[in-house]
Every structure is written in structure tokens, then in C-alpha cells.
Amino acid sequence: MSFVKLTASTLAIAAVSATAAAARDQVQVAGSSTVLPYASIVAEAFGENFDFPTPVVESGGSSAGLKRFCEGVGENTIDVANASRKIKDKEIKKCAENGVTDIIEVRIGYDGIVFASDINGKDFAFTPTDWYLALSDTIMVDGKMVANPNKTWADVNPAFPAQPIQAFIPGTKHGTREVFEDKVILAGCEATGAFEHLLAAAEGDTAKKQKKAAEKACISLRTDGVSVDIDGDYTETLARIDSNKDGIGVFGLAFYENNTDKLQVATMSGIVPSTESIATGEYPVSRPLYFYIKKAHIGVIPGIKEYAEFFVADEIAGPDGPLAEYGLVSDPELAKTQAAVADEATMGSNM
């Protein structure tokens, strides 16, 4: 995607000179592969429009990025972590243990998780139940939990073709995986009645522990090769489908929309994934996207706050900006995020 150079007056952001003394002068970002293309677009435009070096943006997954983020404070640690889910309490705790105590949470917008296959393959209309029955390692048959016997999509749902089940899903270090487990696999487990069955049989001395055990059992996936974890980014998933035309992959909406010449997308619960259906809340598998900033690095590593303000400016993250063109669903509360960034409001602080 090409960009017309933006002016500071257009963005209402003053470009300042990167003169602050620091051991390094480039903002360093890592994390979510879903947020990666948006962050790369912003970093490129930021480098073109400000007197700061272009930020270095790496992928690796939400969990991996937040792990690096929480390693500590200082020039040898990253400044910003991209995430396709909220930071977890245990990650906040790990950050605090390593001196990362003031964290600014920035919600950039929303994205959908889509299920796509080869452009020339069969089309599908999925529900969460279909994916649970296809991928869970145990399913309920005649009131009993048994090892998943399903081999083809027709075994899962008679309306589907007798195509071998082959799913390429995000690995466990990706935030997309957690959303997939919660909004698809767990939802399907609940819809079939298996969750209640598992809950009744769950061990634990508290209701919370029993619920957690039942949820864990629901989202435990097959290990017989039917479900394949993809630890790389979506380009690896696309490559797998290219070499296995029966494969169905889990992608972010933006990646699919930029590869419609290679992929076709399935509906979920009767809804076609689109920026419109995600914005209205109709599409059931969507999630907010974030990045996290170390407040302690602002003013030490030049350009961090300017990068964050640039990222969430109306002209960038708004409904008519370049991120929306790439597939980001603009946050209706973007103005609140802009104010929080401007005020350097940390998590837990009162606005």
C-alpha cells in the first residue's frame, strides 16, 4: 500500500525533532501477527512524516511479544507490545516483578477471525458446533464422552462435503488462538451440551476450579494431525492451504481481504465476516486489538509517544484512514483512546 505524505497540520500532531539523548533512537515493537500489518503501515508512514527513525516492528505472536515486553525496563527491552487480546493478570504480575509497573493500554480497533479455504474448493457455512465436533479431542456421543471419531466434514455435518478434515489454526503463542478457543470451540462445546456433561464430572474443590476444568476439557484439541498449529504468521497458513487444497485456515479478516484471489471465506452462524458485520457486532467471532507501551520509556527512547498518537489519530485509525482500508474496524470510542494516550494514562489509573 502506498501513502501520500501527511502533514502535521492534517494530523494535528506536531512533528518534533528526534534530539533526545538515548542509547538507541528507534522505537522497538513486537508481538501479534494480526496487529503486525497495521503497525507496519503506521511505522512506515511515521518514518515518512516525522523526524524520527522508522520504528522497528517484529511479529512473533501476542504472548511472545508480551513476554519480551515484561522482561524489564531499559534500552535492551522493547518499548511496545502488539496484542490481539488484552494483557493477562499473570503477565501484568510478571511485568511488575521485572520493574515494568506503568503500562499504557491502547486499543486500536477491532478485527474478526475468519475461516477460509482455497478459492477453488468447496464453500462452507459453519457454526461453532461444527468446529467443536471437528477438532475437539473428545466429543459427546449418546451421552458419553468419546475420542473424536470424525474424519470428514460430512461426519461433522451431513450438509457438508465428504472432505477430509484438515485445519490450520494459530499456535498457542498467538492471541488469535485464545479467541478461537473461547468464541468457537468452547461455544460449540456448550451448544452440544458437552460442557454441562463435563462440568458435572469435573474435579475441583470449588465451582470456579470445576468450571475451569470443564472449559479446559472442551478446548483440548486433537493431536492426530487433523488440527495443525501454525506458529508463524498468516502467510504460513496460506502456504499450507496452497499445498493442501482440502485445508481450512483460521485468519484475521484483514489478511483474508488482502488475499481474496487465493481464498474464499465461510460464514459463521449465518453471518458473512466483513468490516460492517464486525462493526455492528453481528459477526460472532471478533475481538479488539491493542498495543501496550512502557511509560518509563517515554522521553528516554525518542518518538514513542508521537508514534502512539500518530497510530490512533483519526486520519490513521479512523473509519476513512489507511488502516480501515486494510481491514481494521475503527473503534467507535477512538477519541477516548486518543485522550488516554495524550495523558499517558496507565492501566488502573482513573481518567
Side-chain angles (χ1 to χ4, degrees):
M1 184 178 292
S2 62
F3 292 89
V4 175
K5 251 191 162 175
L6 305 168
T7 65
S9 58
T10 300
L11 292 169
I13 298 172
V16 298
S17 177
T19 56
R24 61 175 166 86
D25 61 359
Q26 278 183 300
V27 176
Q28 294 186 351
V29 185
S32 168
S33 57
T34 299
V35 179
L36 174 66
Y38 303 125
S40 297
I41 287 169
V42 175
E44 178 189 338
F46 182 75
E48 291 176 355
N49 288 278
F50 287 74
D51 291 332
F52 294 106
T54 300
V56 176
V57 183
E58 300 174 350
S59 186
S62 300
S63 297
L66 286 164
K67 182 179 180 180
R68 289 180 62 187
F69 182 82
C70 291
E71 287 176 349
V73 173
E75 65 187 78
N76 295 323
T77 64
I78 65 171
D79 311 302
V80 178
N82 294 328
S84 57
R85 59 165 175 79
K86 287 183 74 71
I87 188 171
K88 298 176 182 177
D89 289 343
K90 65 180 181 181
E91 290 166 332
I92 294 173
K93 182 180 178 183
K94 176 58 70 174
C95 270
E97 289 172 355
N98 292 329
V100 184
T101 55
D102 292 324
I103 301 171
I104 301 171
E105 181 180 78
V106 183
R107 189 174 66 205
I108 66 168
Y110 293 83
D111 182 42
I113 296 174
V114 307
F115 304 84
S117 52
D118 184 77
I119 187 70
N120 296 313
K122 305 289 186 181
D123 61 339
F124 286 85
F126 289 124
T127 65
T129 295
D130 297 325
W131 278 85
Y132 168 71
L133 294 176
L135 298 193
S136 184
D137 64 353
T138 58
I139 62 173
M140 192 163 67
V141 177
D142 297 329
K144 296 181 180 179
M145 300 304 295
V146 301
N148 195 330
N150 296 324
K151 302 297 183 185
T152 73
W153 284 105
D155 294 333
V156 168
N157 186 331
F160 292 158
Q163 175 175 313
I165 301 169
Q166 182 65 82
F168 301 111
I169 65 174
T172 54
K173 67 181 179 179
H174 292 286
T176 304
R177 172 62 169 265
E178 296 179 28
V179 179
F180 171 70
E181 289 175 343
D182 183 50
K183 295 197 173 186
V184 181
I185 301 298
L186 181 57
C189 184
E190 292 171 342
T192 64
F195 176 76
E196 289 300 324
H197 183 90
L198 290 165
L199 184 61
E203 297 181 355
D205 55 6
T206 65
K208 183 177 180 180
K209 287 182 179 179
Q210 291 169 345
K211 181 174 182 287
K212 189 173 182 178
E215 289 175 346
K216 183 178 179 180
C218 277
I219 64 175
S220 180
L221 302 185
R222 300 169 72 163
T223 56
D224 56 0
V226 166
S227 177
V228 178
D229 284 10
I230 303 297
D231 289 328
D233 59 23
Y234 295 132
T235 57
E236 183 181 342
T237 308
L238 180 60
R240 294 293 190 101
I241 291 174
D242 189 51
S243 62
N244 183 341
K245 301 301 184 183
D246 287 334
I248 299 176
V250 177
F251 298 92
L253 174 67
F255 186 90
Y256 158 71
E257 289 189 333
N258 284 275
N259 288 278
T260 54
D261 58 329
K262 303 179 185 73
L263 295 168
Q264 61 174 308
V265 73
T267 58
M268 179 57 72
S269 300
I271 305 298
V272 177
S274 67
T275 54
E276 292 77 15
S277 63
I278 291 169
T280 61
E282 267 189 295
Y283 186 68
V285 196
S286 59
R287 63 328 187 22
L289 304 178
Y290 302 90
F291 63 83
Y292 293 89
I293 307 168
K294 286 177 190 168
K295 185 172 181 178
H297 283 201
I298 293 176
V300 178
I301 307 299
I304 295 175
K305 183 173 181 179
E306 291 80 3
Y307 165 77
E309 290 181 319
F310 183 78
F311 203 129
V312 298
D314 289 338
E315 291 81 1
I316 298 296
D320 298 318
L323 301 189
E325 289 179 29
Y326 199 87
L328 182 72
V329 178
S330 182
D331 190 341
E333 296 186 340
L334 189 59
K336 281 187 179 180
T337 299
Q338 292 166 348
V341 172
D343 293 342
E344 300 178 18
T346 56
M347 296 178 66
S349 63
N350 295 319
M351 289 292 293

